[in-house]
Amino acid sequence: MSDSTPPQAKKIPTERTHHGDTFVDSYEWLREKDSAEVIEHLHAENAYAEAITASQQPLREAIFSEIRHRTVETDLSVPSRRGQSWYFTRTIEGEQHAIYCRVPVGRDSWTPPQVQAGVALAGEETFFDTNAEAARHPFYQLGGMSLNAAGTLLAYSEDTSGDELYTLRFRDLSSGVNLPEEVEGVHGGPVLEPTGQRAYYMVADAAWRPHRLYMHTLGTHAEQDRLILEITDEQLWTGVGLSADKRELVIISGNSEYDESRILDVTDPEAQPVLLISAERRILHSIDPIEVDGERLLLITHNQAGPNNALSVTTADELAAQTRAETSTERPREQPLDLGTLVLPHEETVKLEGVTITAAQVIVAARRDTVESVQLLSLDLLRAVREGAAPVLTSTLPGPDFEDELYTCAVIAAEYEAPLFRVAYESWLTPTRIYDIDHASASPLLRRETPVNDVDLEAYCATRIWAPSGDTRADGSEITIPVTVLHHRDVSADGTNPALVYGYGSYEMSMDPSFGIPRLSLLDRGIVFAIAHVRGGGELGRGWYEDGKKLNKINTFTDFIAATDHLVELGWADPSRIAALGGSAGGLLMGAVANLAPEKYVAILAQVPFVDNLTSILDPELPLSALEWEEWGNPITDPEVYRYMKSYAPYENVREVAYPAIAAVTSLNDTRVLYVEPAKWVQVLREHQRGEAPVVMKIEMDGGHGGASGRYESWKERAWDYAFLAHHLGASESRR
């Protein structure tokens, strides 16, 4: 077989029967990851993809060069104070990863030192060089870092294969030498309590669900680690984090529809977790401990008062007492849980995303008209409400003002006792800016804007349009889909433009404004880049998400097609030159759109695509499958869910039509969307292809869900993707 011939996997029919329906899968055997035959087939897929796209190599090199040229490679972060040190990162030209540095504060100041590229500060120390650690491995990714309060001990976790199984290590920062102890098989990053005597970490089960919380005592062997908690409910994913004042570990076990919460006193090595709100309550919530006037309180962001969340204040004792009473009597939970005093009530037009606690005030993250920003809740106002004053609407809270219409503003640092907090701000055409915001004045002070080489940002435009979905609400009003349109200023809505439509639409994840250097290479080629904010995302509140999940999932796909049609109607896109892009659950979107409307697109690129979703979710032993039931429904027990999912599952609905050029991009060690899904998908696509367009799969043999490690490898992957799309759009030449 030559490299220019599509690899043909052998057929071994496997039957899958549920609810009286039998599906015959000829390519399920490709799941055998350890099979030499499977690996040989995957290498053949890579060879075929390279042969078919060989003519795109100059375009790939051009886009990669543009990304690299525009990126300030020798770059640094704004120092952030913790204790008596300023912490920051440097990136060096030619190096793949960041270098973690720190310098003594020197004086009691919250004004960060001015760091220059290539110039060391007085007393500067490199406490972790990721490049040196990564040099010994084909793949390297940090799972997380945690420092003790004194800054003398670093706990970190690293993945050297891409399978997201991390090894926890400890480094004595006074000597720079790792301690001999380590913990294998950790999920994610560690949490050190302030003294550094104990570290907390999660371990995942066979289905890749973090379910066990352990405590490691420094100076002991991992076999002696204490099991703090085990969550047996296969539908709950557990995460942990320290409270703002670092006195308690907040433990949340949940999914997309409800949570279970606990707190653990980290000052006591013998403490047991205290259950606050049980999963049986079916409340989606988060818990944030706060101390006001010497009283230990809990702020609860929850959906008990409405889908867009409210904020209440209570105590741990009050919550735990209710939960103990319910558990001991096993009585039905007929009455709503008493969550204490309502502080911020539910609003139909504002989604309360969560809060950040400081000693000065509470920082509220809220979303209105797709835009997420921060607003400020004073402790005086919190006191007043707790003492009997009326609740306050989130929409009336003060906050910093920014000039852009569409932007993202999020808290990135808020030390508990600091007089200020830090946010990251960006828009579609504004590189990330770092602002410090004084608690007293709420005035943003610009600390840094990410530099970009040789770019006139005034040459690009961002606008918002609203596409009719064809659906109406209960009140008869039309449901419209927000679509962001990015383009070069020389491009007008004249009906001649190549266009790329991007979408995701799952898990209530919002495609918020963000600046991307690689995207500029497409805009410079006259391509209109449109982001379809389809149902299933969180841009317009909880209802927008719920209208695109479970038995409403098809709305995600039809919204994407409706957005595409509207771009044509407004003249932003030439109907013969439109491509589509999406990854992971957005890859499922790509597969569904390819089946529903293949004639509307000349090319589709699906990154780590979840295209065999019904097979995966029917097998609770596969990674993360049981957790997906709250997003898609449970097709194992519910025949209606099974039939609904089968009606749109991309792998099972491929039909004999002329498909556009399709590229599936994946990684061998991805544990979230297994490589076998796109491997099977491209086989059936080729079998049913009635057009001339190619169907290829490119697989990273050393990567995980995020692809290869290192920024240069990431740029190369993006250049491959964009070159594939630009080539098929007939837009290879830059206008710069």
Side-chain angles (χ1 to χ4, degrees), residues 184-210:
E184 300 282 353
V186 170
H187 186 280
V191 176
L192 272 179
E193 51 82 30
T195 70
Q197 298 177 58
R198 295 173 296 281
Y200 300 89
Y201 63 89
M202 297 297 304
V203 169
D205 61 13
W208 224 256
R209 178 182 65 93

Side-chain angles (χ1 to χ4, degrees), residues 153-174:
L153 181 69
L154 172 70
Y156 68 97
S157 60
E158 59 182 9
D159 170 18
T160 58
S161 67
D163 62 2
E164 298 184 62
L165 272 176
Y166 294 87
T167 299
L168 173 57
R169 305 186 191 280
F170 302 90
R171 181 165 297 181
D172 179 351
L173 294 184
S174 61

Side-chain angles (χ1 to χ4, degrees), residues 208-490:
W208 224 256
R209 178 182 65 93
H211 70 134
R212 288 179 179 165
L213 172 64
Y214 285 91
M215 183 185 76
H216 175 80
T217 301
L218 272 292
T220 66
H221 195 276
E223 293 178 355
Q224 299 173 268
D225 288 357
R226 175 186 163 204
L227 177 62
I228 299 287
L229 177 69
E230 180 172 8
I231 302 296
T232 58
D233 187 336
E234 61 186 1
Q235 293 183 254
L236 298 181
W237 174 291
T238 301
V240 299
L242 282 177
S243 61
D245 58 7
K246 298 178 174 55
R247 287 171 48 183
E248 291 163 311
L249 193 70
V250 179
I251 308 165
I252 301 291
S253 305
N255 53 48
S256 65
E257 297 198 338
Y258 57 89
D259 298 300
E260 184 167 271
S261 55
R262 295 172 172 84
I263 55 172
L264 176 72
D265 181 358
V266 298
T267 67
D268 179 3
E270 302 300 323
Q272 297 291 334
V274 177
L275 179 63
L276 299 176
I277 301 176
S278 69
E280 286 73 18
R281 274 293 182 175
R282 294 300 192 264
I283 300 174
L284 197 64
H285 68 279
S286 59
I287 299 284
D288 291 278
I290 183 173
E291 189 162 306
V292 179
D293 301 330
E295 183 181 15
R296 195 72 174 167
L297 304 173
L298 296 179
L299 286 180
I300 308 171
T301 305
H302 62 88
N303 69 346
Q304 184 167 265
N308 280 340
N309 292 339
L311 183 72
S312 297
V313 61
T314 185
T315 68
D317 288 344
E318 290 168 353
L319 276 184
Q322 292 181 76
T323 300
R324 283 195 301 270
E326 292 172 351
T327 303
S328 63
T329 61
E330 297 185 352
R331 66 186 181 194
R333 296 160 176 81
E334 297 174 352
Q335 299 298 321
L337 191 66
D338 182 1
L339 298 177
T341 303
L342 187 63
V343 180
L344 302 175
H346 175 267
E347 292 185 67
E348 291 294 335
T349 58
V350 178
K351 173 69 185 300
L352 181 60
E353 302 283 12
V355 300
T356 300
I357 305 300
T358 73
Q361 62 185 330
V362 178
I363 308 165
V364 179
R367 182 183 301 277
R368 188 190 314 179
D369 294 332
T370 79
V371 174
E372 181 178 350
S373 191
V374 296
Q375 295 176 267
L376 306 176
L377 173 64
S378 70
L379 296 188
D380 285 341
L381 188 55
L382 181 61
R383 291 186 187 98
V385 172
R386 184 158 169 77
E387 292 169 1
V392 179
L393 294 175
T394 303
S395 56
T396 66
L397 294 177
D401 293 323
F402 297 106
E403 67 273 16
D404 290 315
E405 178 186 2
L406 303 175
Y407 65 88
T408 301
C409 179
V411 176
I412 57 172
E415 286 296 302
Y416 187 65
E417 297 288 351
L420 47 80
F421 64 96
R422 180 168 292 174
V423 300
Y425 171 94
E426 62 183 322
S427 75
W428 295 112
L429 299 175
T430 304
T432 302
R433 294 173 180 170
I434 303 300
Y435 290 97
D436 279 344
I437 299 178
D438 183 88
H439 280 301
S441 67
S443 299
L445 175 62
L446 180 64
R447 294 298 190 189
R448 181 175 186 267
E449 180 172 321
T450 303
V452 182
N453 285 330
D454 193 24
V455 173
D456 175 13
L457 294 175
E458 297 298 321
Y460 309 99
C461 305
T463 188
R464 169 66 54 77
I465 63 174
W466 295 83
S469 68
D471 295 336
T472 56
R473 298 181 179 85
D475 63 4
S477 61
E478 184 179 46
I479 295 174
T480 54
I481 308 147
V483 182
T484 300
V485 178
L486 309 177
H487 61 93
H488 194 279
R489 66 185 172 197
D490 295 338

Side-chain angles (χ1 to χ4, degrees), residues 5 23 29 52 80 124 178 195 224 231 324 371 374 500 523:
T5 303
F23 174 67
W29 70 274
I52 291 299
S80 179
E124 181 175 333
N178 276 15
T195 70
Q224 299 173 268
I231 302 296
R324 283 195 301 270
V371 174
V374 296
L500 174 60
L523 302 185

